[in-house]
Amino acid sequence: MKRIFLTCSLLMYSYGVLVHAEGTSLGDVIISEVMANPVGLTDLPETEYVEIFNASGEDLYLNGWTFVYGSTVVPLPEATLPAGSYAVLYRAGRDIFVESGGLDIPVAAFPSNLANTGRTLKIVNSLGLTIDSVDYAAATPARAWERDAAGDFYLSNDPRGGTPGAANSPKDIPPPSAEPDTSNPGDMIISEVMANPMGLTDFPETEYVEIFNASGEDLSLNGWTFVYGNTVVPLPEATLPTGSYAVLYRAGRDIFVESGGLDIPVAAFPSSLVNTGRTLKIVNSLGITIDSVDYAAATPARAWERDAAGDFYLSNDPRGGTPGAANSPKDIPPPDDPLNPDMPAQYRTAFEGEIVFNEILPEPFEGGSEYIELYNRSEHALSVFDLAIATRKSDGALNTRYPLSSIIGPILPDGYIVLTSGRDGVLNFYAASVGQVVYEVRLPILNNTGSTLVLLSVRDGTVIDEVSYSSKWHDMAIKNTKGVALERIDPDAAGQDATNWTSAISTVGYGTPGYRNSQARQGEATFSFGLPEYLTGTNEYRIAYRTDQAGYRCHIRIFTLEGMMVAEIANNQLLGADGEIYWNGCGSDGSRLRAGLYIYHAELYHPYGQHRTVKKAFLVRP
């Protein structure tokens, strides 16, 4: 009787069907599919999952079974997996799609984020026996790892990115497209790269890569990828007409594309193209590299454009680039000036007040260089060929004049030039413009505590602009001003007004040589401070703000509804005139906060006594 009792204890009935319980052995259940990086999925929810398959030939009752992720043991809920069927394990509360006939198993303790770098996974039965164990490799966005009969993994060839709850896609068949992919190298070219949009005014400050269809036929991008360094980014389905341009950029961000161009938002597009340069590729659905380029170090607010020979040059379009349209001309030699053959005729000398001092760095970092930034606030392209820089003595007389006659190029309307005695001492410390924007010239030595700078005409001594700067103009909370530039807040307001100058903010590296000041104010001085806005596809939150005066500092914290602080986004951070603060959704312990309602608490305070508070509930997304 004892033997009969033990045998029966290993069998259970479920829904009237005899279910094999713990006579299971290695291979009866296999891990058949892993979606570790769902970013970019469009036909399936962006939810991580692990698919299992019952290969035992009998229905299996999973009571007491566990899923092991690395060293984490995750209990599986009670469920019956029919013989020959698939089940999808995923985190309870998230959206999932499972093919008809498949079983969806929400798991409360399923990992909130499967590691994209790969991890060991196991299925263990109720007796503690490992039924299957696999190691998946580094994840590819929007492509599941699927397993073949030999136990090897391959990237899914299903056009949706995976086959949750159903048989895996064929192993050696490229994703289907409406037409056979017959594209060849050179049919699509990378024609423009905007890697550092900081300072753009006519376009949104959004990074982009422009491609051009040079094939002579319309091209379907189904199954194509954009490769950034070693990162493979799937492109969404789109058709690019022959002879047309398309602009690739991160989904959720603002973009401007010329009429006739195609804008292609890409969920997994890099959040930041590196300013130091990187290899970019366009690869077709057959895995053939159609184009490959290396862009050089980026210049703020200037795109790299490509000529017919395949060489890159900095855009000559006054807006900074030509997204979605033909590139600007590469070489535009200026006409001769009848007064001076070295100065372009259409670039006249500035009148009083047309060019102003806009940014000053008197006290550089160790190994850095002082600099002076000039801004053209007129509506004309102006030359500085006949101008000079000088400082004033205590009696009001001018010290040595330092001419700017070596600078041939103009300052465009709403444009900048940077003057320094050591160009590398600027470029090595700040995200500064290069080429015709940062000039190495002889300059007076700038006193750290203050001095009077004068921009004047060499011909008649007319003062174009003058400012007596002081180290007291820095934000009072900044104790060490080494490497911190003084920025003019409103270029149209009085330059000698101390309230119109303040310190550059830390998020730009304490200086903005050659592009829009971090403290620059445009339009009416209004105040707004937003809630965290979830950016779809990036897992980041953006807090947009606008201040009514320079000098605000902020402290931003996140609390549970019970009042426990779980995250600190900013602590005594100096704000610009307007800008954005980004948060990765993680708490103070470095892990992502659980989805749900939290209290957002932002405190803003000003050295002149103003105090503002924003406190409101908001939703953290899963």
Side-chain angles (χ1 to χ4, degrees):
M1 290 295 294
K2 181 177 181 181
R3 181 179 180 183
I4 294 174
F5 176 79
L6 289 173
T7 302
C8 291
S9 70
L10 295 176
L11 297 174
M12 296 187 64
Y13 280 90
S14 177
Y15 306 107
V17 179
L18 187 64
V19 177
H20 192 278
E22 292 314 340
T24 50
S25 58
L26 184 67
D28 280 352
V29 172
I30 63 171
I31 297 170
S32 53
E33 186 171 338
V34 180
M35 176 65 81
N37 188 352
V39 173
L41 288 175
T42 55
D43 295 316
L44 301 174
E46 288 189 341
T47 298
E48 299 166 345
Y49 63 81
V50 172
E51 178 192 80
I52 59 176
F53 174 69
N54 181 355
S56 69
E58 302 180 54
D59 296 352
L60 292 178
Y61 186 53
L62 302 182
N63 185 29
W65 286 47
T66 56
F67 166 66
V68 181
Y69 171 72
S71 58
T72 303
V73 178
V74 179
L76 295 181
E78 294 186 17
T80 299
L81 182 57
S85 294
Y86 296 86
V88 177
L89 313 179
Y90 64 102
R91 190 173 181 88
R94 297 186 177 176
D95 293 334
I96 198 68
F97 170 83
V98 177
E99 290 284 0
S100 176
L103 187 67
D104 68 284
I105 301 181
V107 182
F110 192 87
S112 58
N113 284 294
L114 295 175
N116 292 340
T117 52
R119 190 63 57 90
T120 299
L121 309 178
K122 295 179 183 179
I123 294 293
V124 179
N125 72 10
S126 62
L127 300 180
L129 300 176
T130 297
I131 304 302
D132 193 26
S133 177
V134 298
D135 294 280
Y136 70 89
T140 295
R143 298 276 295 281
W145 283 113
E146 296 184 336
R147 200 171 177 194
D148 64 14
D152 298 323
F153 279 103
Y154 60 95
L155 287 171
S156 175
N157 287 305
D158 192 285
R160 301 168 302 174
T163 55
N168 291 342
S169 63
K171 182 177 183 180
D172 298 313
I173 301 177
S177 58
E179 297 290 338
D181 195 336
T182 59
S183 55
N184 296 302
D187 283 350
M188 187 81 70
I189 64 170
I190 297 170
S191 52
E192 186 172 336
V193 180
M194 176 64 81
N196 188 351
M198 186 178 294
L200 287 175
T201 55
D202 293 313
F203 299 145
E205 290 186 338
T206 298
E207 298 165 345
Y208 64 81
V209 172
E210 179 193 80
I211 58 177
F212 175 69
N213 181 355
S215 70
E217 301 178 4
D218 295 352
L219 289 178
S220 170
L221 303 182
N222 186 26
W224 286 46
T225 55
F226 166 67
V227 182
Y228 171 72
N230 296 319
T231 303
V232 179
V233 179
L235 295 180
E237 293 187 19
T239 297
L240 183 57
T242 180
S244 294
Y245 296 85
V247 176
L248 313 178
Y249 64 101
R250 192 172 181 88
R253 297 186 178 175
D254 294 333
I255 196 69
F256 170 84
V257 177
E258 292 283 2
S259 176
L262 187 66
D263 68 285
I264 301 181
V266 182
F269 192 86
S271 57
S272 289
L273 297 174
V274 296
N275 293 339
T276 53
R278 188 63 59 89
T279 299
L280 307 178
K281 296 180 183 179
I282 294 292
V283 178
N284 73 6
S285 62
L286 301 177
I288 299 171
T289 296
I290 303 302
D291 193 27
S292 176
V293 299
D294 294 278
Y295 69 88
T299 295
R302 298 276 297 282
W304 284 112
E305 296 184 335
R306 199 171 178 194
D307 63 15
D311 298 322
F312 280 103
Y313 59 96
L314 286 171
S315 176
N316 287 306
D317 192 288
R319 302 169 300 173
T322 55
N327 292 342
S328 62
K330 182 178 182 180
D331 299 307
I332 312 176
D336 291 339
D337 180 356
L339 300 178
N340 190 321
D342 293 325
M343 186 171 71
Q346 72 270 38
Y347 308 140
R348 63 169 173 79
T349 299
F351 298 142
E352 181 181 353
E354 288 188 318
I355 296 177
V356 296
F357 292 105
N358 197 57
E359 186 173 339
I360 305 167
L361 179 67
E363 188 178 5
F365 289 117
E366 189 70 30
S369 302
E370 301 172 348
Y371 69 77
I372 297 168
E373 180 188 78
L374 302 178
Y375 172 70
N376 180 358
R377 63 183 187 181
S378 78
E379 297 178 354
H380 309 282
L382 301 174
S383 172
V384 297
F385 184 88
D386 285 335
L387 301 183
I389 298 281
T391 57
R392 284 202 188 277
K393 300 177 182 179
S394 58
D395 62 0
L398 291 175
N399 283 304
T400 304
R401 294 167 173 81
Y402 292 86
L404 305 180
S405 55
S406 62
I407 302 175
I408 305 301
I411 311 182
L412 298 176
D414 199 32
Y416 310 81
I417 63 170
V418 179
L419 312 175
T420 179
S421 57
R423 193 165 177 269
D424 289 342
V426 175
L427 300 180
N428 291 341
F429 291 91
Y430 303 93
S433 296
V434 296
Q436 294 183 344
V437 181
V438 180
Y439 294 91
E440 189 167 291
V441 295
R442 292 186 64 209
L443 288 174
I445 296 174
L446 304 180
N447 190 294
N448 291 347
T449 58
S451 184
T452 299
L453 284 172
V454 181
L455 179 68
L456 69 155
S457 168
V458 173
R459 291 184 180 180
D460 57 16
T462 299
V463 173
I464 307 301
D465 193 33
E466 182 170 343
V467 61
S468 297
Y469 70 88
S470 170
S471 59
K472 295 179 181 179
W473 290 358
H474 278 293
D475 181 270
M476 63 178 61
I478 295 180
K479 304 305 180 185
N480 182 6
T481 58
K482 187 181 290 292
V484 182
L486 284 168
E487 291 186 334
R488 190 166 179 157
I489 297 169
D490 184 352
D492 294 322
Q496 200 47 55
D497 182 356
T499 64
N500 196 33
W501 291 81
T502 191
S503 307
I505 62 177
S506 61
T507 53
V508 297
Y510 294 109
T512 55
Y515 56 97
R516 182 175 179 263
N517 289 349
S518 62
Q519 297 284 10
R521 189 171 305 284
Q522 295 179 331
E524 183 181 356
T526 57
F527 182 91
S528 64
F529 205 87
L531 294 173
E533 173 192 4
Y534 182 73
L535 302 178
T536 303
T538 69
N539 287 330
E540 292 181 323
Y541 294 79
R542 176 176 58 199
I543 302 168
Y545 67 83
R546 183 178 181 86
T547 62
D548 54 359
Q549 60 181 316
Y552 276 102
R553 289 184 171 270
C554 73
H555 192 188
I556 305 174
R557 294 171 291 176
I558 305 298
F559 294 86
T560 65
L561 297 181
E562 293 75 26
M564 180 187 300
M565 190 185 81
V566 291
E568 185 174 60
I569 300 174
N571 186 358
N572 198 36
Q573 181 172 325
L574 178 64
L575 300 178
D578 52 66
E580 298 170 339
I581 299 172
Y582 287 88
W583 174 48
N584 60 9
C586 292
S588 301
D589 61 358
S591 61
R592 291 190 67 82
L593 296 184
R594 293 173 178 265
L597 283 174
Y598 291 81
I599 300 298
Y600 167 74
H601 189 267
E603 290 183 283
L604 292 92
Y605 37 91
H606 196 279
Y608 296 155
Q610 292 89 334
H611 181 268
R612 297 174 182 266
T613 301
V614 179
K615 185 178 181 180
K616 195 169 184 179
F618 79 107
L619 180 65
V620 168
R621 300 281 295 274

